Amino acid sequence: MPGLKPTTREMSDTRDRLIVALDVGTPDEALALVERIGNAASFYKIGYRLAYAGGLSLVPRLASAGLKVFVDLKLHDIGNTVEDGVRALSDLGAAFLTVHAYPQTMRAAVRGRGSSGSRLLAVTVLTSYDKSDLAEAGYALDVPDLVALRARQAAETGIDGIVCAAFEAEAVRREIGTGRAIVTPGIRPSGSAAGDQKRVMTPAQAKAAGIDHIVVGRPITGAEDPRAVVQAILADLV
Ligand code: C5P
């Protein structure tokens, strides 16, 4: 891809803290955005929308350009299916991939990851859920207790990190210790619109909360100059 150069290890370390969500409709749009951002960013996330529009083909393509790719498909199925799915995504070159934090699913994902370079992230409780949503789904626990239980189970299972709301990071860190990553969306550079994100943190607040990687989408994808927004966010993270 023109404009995409392999990154040096030294440069990638700070840039890896920002994951740009490629929430666009087609692989061509995603590639155009990656090219506009150029070497300012090193880590991109592919979610349902882009993946189901052919975007998984970008995983090896971006990886071979020295970029990291987070495949955010939140897998959850019978163990054999999860194991095979994780293995297939690892083979594509995903740096991070997500599963729901059910113990059986996490154990299967760890088997599927094997000794590949992919890192598994577990989603504890979706941040759109509150106590009444959990009760409706048959759970007796409230959100903080279920987040803590699942984070603990994730660490016991050998999962590499947790996706959670920024405001849950402290409690999650207590459960998983320092060797595993915390990845959070819901981050807004100061002054940008919150959109439908309710409890937002700035990049600097996220860093202070001990969050390892932040995920930012619309403030970058909707910007006149996405590269400049990426650079401003990274300046906040140093
Ligand atoms: O555009 P925005 O910065 O809100 O995008 C955040 C990304 O993180 C999106 O890809 C979204 O699906 C994801 N996400 C989120 N909130 C959660 C979990 C994931 O916004 N609680």
Side-chain angles (χ1 to χ4, degrees), residues 1 14 22 26 32 38 47-48 60 65 68 78-79 88 90 101 137 158 182 193 197 227 237:
M1 273 171 287
T14 309
L22 287 173
T26 67
Y48 284 2
K68 297 197 167 82
I78 62 168
S90 298
I182 296 183
Q197 300 278 13
R227 180 178 167 89
L237 289 175

Side-chain angles (χ1 to χ4, degrees), residues 1-116:
M1 273 171 287
L4 288 184
K5 304 237 164 45
T7 59
T8 67
R9 180 77 204 141
E10 195 184 353
M11 280 176 73
S12 68
D13 285 345
T14 309
R15 291 179 308 160
D16 283 355
R17 299 177 71 95
L18 169 63
I19 302 174
V20 179
L22 287 173
D23 293 329
V24 293
T26 67
D28 282 349
E29 281 177 73
L31 282 176
L33 184 62
V34 170
E35 285 185 14
R36 281 188 77 192
I37 293 171
N39 64 1
S42 58
F43 216 144
Y44 289 93
K45 180 169 93 72
I46 295 176
Y48 284 2
R49 183 179 174 201
L50 183 57
Y52 295 146
L56 291 180
S57 63
L58 296 181
V59 179
R61 210 162 154 189
L62 296 178
S64 67
L67 298 166
K68 297 197 167 82
V69 187
F70 171 6
V71 180
D72 187 16
L73 295 181
K74 299 184 180 68
L75 303 184
H76 181 46
D77 206 310
I78 62 168
N80 186 64
T81 303
V82 170
E83 183 177 340
D84 287 347
V86 166
R87 190 172 295 115
L89 292 173
S90 298
D91 289 347
L92 280 183
F96 281 178
L97 55 98
T98 40
V99 299
H100 281 283
Y102 287 77
Q104 188 187 102
T105 292
M106 294 191 289
R107 284 192 289 272
V110 167
R111 287 195 299 275
R113 178 202 54 193
S115 58
S116 74

